[in-house]
Every structure is written in structure tokens, then in C-alpha cells.
Amino acid sequence: KQEVTQIPAALSVPEGENLVLNCSFTDSAIYNLQWFRQDPGKGLTSLLLIQSSQREQTSGRLNASLDKSSGRSTLYIAASQPGDSATYLCAALDYGQNFVFGPGTRLSVLP
Amino acid sequence: NAGVMQNPRHLVRRRGQEARLRCSPMKGHSHVYWYRQLPEEGLKFMVYLQKENIIDESGMPKERFSAEFPKEGPSILRIQQVVRGDSAAYFCASSPLGSRATNEKLFFGSGTQLSVL
């Protein structure tokens, strides 16, 4: 059974710092891995999707990498801003046709 | 192109009543997923439906919970005889291709916050 974990559970950084969020999955048999952002009381917004054959994807200040063999993905946020404060979740699409979510990392960027 | 629409946004029920949560997927999407989120917890998969079919309901409790996605109209998540433990945010997501595609992507609604008094 696929399990997805994320560390750290919470992170607080000053504005302008570069930071890395980590996502680990136990079963490397995945179709893709997707990173989401969730603001308090809101739904999830898709940030980046990395297909199983890809190593990384970039969008603006965000870069996500995928290492299937080690069961890891990272989300790199460059030059963080207060508006980046949110909970970040990763989800692995496994061969069982399920999107399995991690518990999320709660990010606070302090002005 | 409207996004995934969920209603109501907030739903208050007393113990023993029924709760009906609605989800209209994005235009052109025929795959719907329901998730439940408790405070400070991640999203827990409940059920995956395609038009008129339940594909995977392994995350949904066997009793009191049911889901449907008819040929016409929104997907409905129905909770009968609600209890306080059902209080949570329920999110619906839709996708265009069905989850076997490697570029399959989920699009989420804003959720329904269910409160059971």
C-alpha cells in the first residue's frame, strides 16, 4: 500500500530565503507526482506535475524534482515571499489508480 | 471554463440527519474523486467515480456513506444519519483522462465544510 510522507511538517522562514520541501513515497510504481498548494479554508491548487519519466519541472520560482528509485520528490521555492505562505501537499498517482496524498508542509514566510 | 464547483460551501446538520454534498466537475471531465480532510490532517481518499460507475470506493465507510455520478448532473456524496465524527471538509476533484494516464492531473473544488451539531 502506497504511503506518502512529507517533512518538515511546518516551516517558518524570513522573506527572500530559498527553501526545500520534501516528499517521500514508499512504492516507486507511480504514474506521476503532483505538488499542490492549499490556503486556509480553500481547496487545492495544482502547482507542478512530474510524470514518471521526467526528472523535474519548473514554473516561475518553483522547481520540483522526482527520483523514483529513491522514492523522493522535492519542491524548491526560490526567493520566498509572504504570499507563498500556505500548506504544500504532494500526491503520488500510483498504479492502483489512486492519488495518495502526503499530510502537507505548513509554510510561513515572514516579512 | 468554470472550475470544479462544490455546493454548499458550508453545511450544518444535526446528528441523525442526512447530508448531501454536490460536485460539478470541470467541463469535459468525466472522472470525479472525493476526499475528506480533518483539521491538521492530509487528504484521505474516499471514492473515485466515472460517469455512472464507481471505480474505487475503498476509502469510503461501508455504512451510511454513498456516492454517485449520474449521466446527467453533478456527483453526489451522501451521508446518512450523520454523527459528530463526520464533521470535516469534503473536497471533490475532477480529471479529464482517468488516472491511468501519466500526465493525469487533478483539479479541486473549494470544498464543503460539514459541521454536525
Side-chain angles (χ1 to χ4, degrees), chain B residues 30-43:
Chain B
S30 58
H31 302 265
V32 165
Y33 304 79
W34 284 93
Y35 290 86
R36 170 183 160 131
Q37 186 177 41
L38 291 167
E40 306 302 321
E41 293 188 16
L43 284 163

Side-chain angles (χ1 to χ4, degrees), chain B residues 36 46 57-66 86:
Chain B
R36 170 183 160 131
M46 297 183 73
E57 56 183 349
S58 59
M60 198 160 65
K62 294 283 188 286
E63 297 180 357
R64 301 188 299 110
F65 285 73
S66 62
D86 297 332

Side-chain angles (χ1 to χ4, degrees), chain A residues 31-32 34 36 38 41-44 46 49 51-52 93 96-99 101-103 106, chain B residues 9 33 35 37 40 42-43 45 48 56 91 99-106 108-110:
Chain A
Y31 285 113
N32 65 44
Q34 198 169 355
F36 295 86
Q38 185 177 27
K42 302 278 182 67
L44 280 69
S46 179
L49 180 146
Q51 298 183 42
S52 60
L93 175 56
Q97 300 184 262
N98 278 336
F99 291 88
F101 281 81
R106 191 165 58 250
Chain B
R9 188 79 176 86
Y33 304 79
Y35 290 86
Q37 186 177 41
E40 306 302 321
L43 284 163
F45 167 77
Y48 164 34
D56 182 352
F91 289 97
S99 58
R100 291 187 184 276
T102 60
N103 59 344
E104 180 70 326
K105 206 172 181 181
L106 280 180
F108 277 83
S110 298

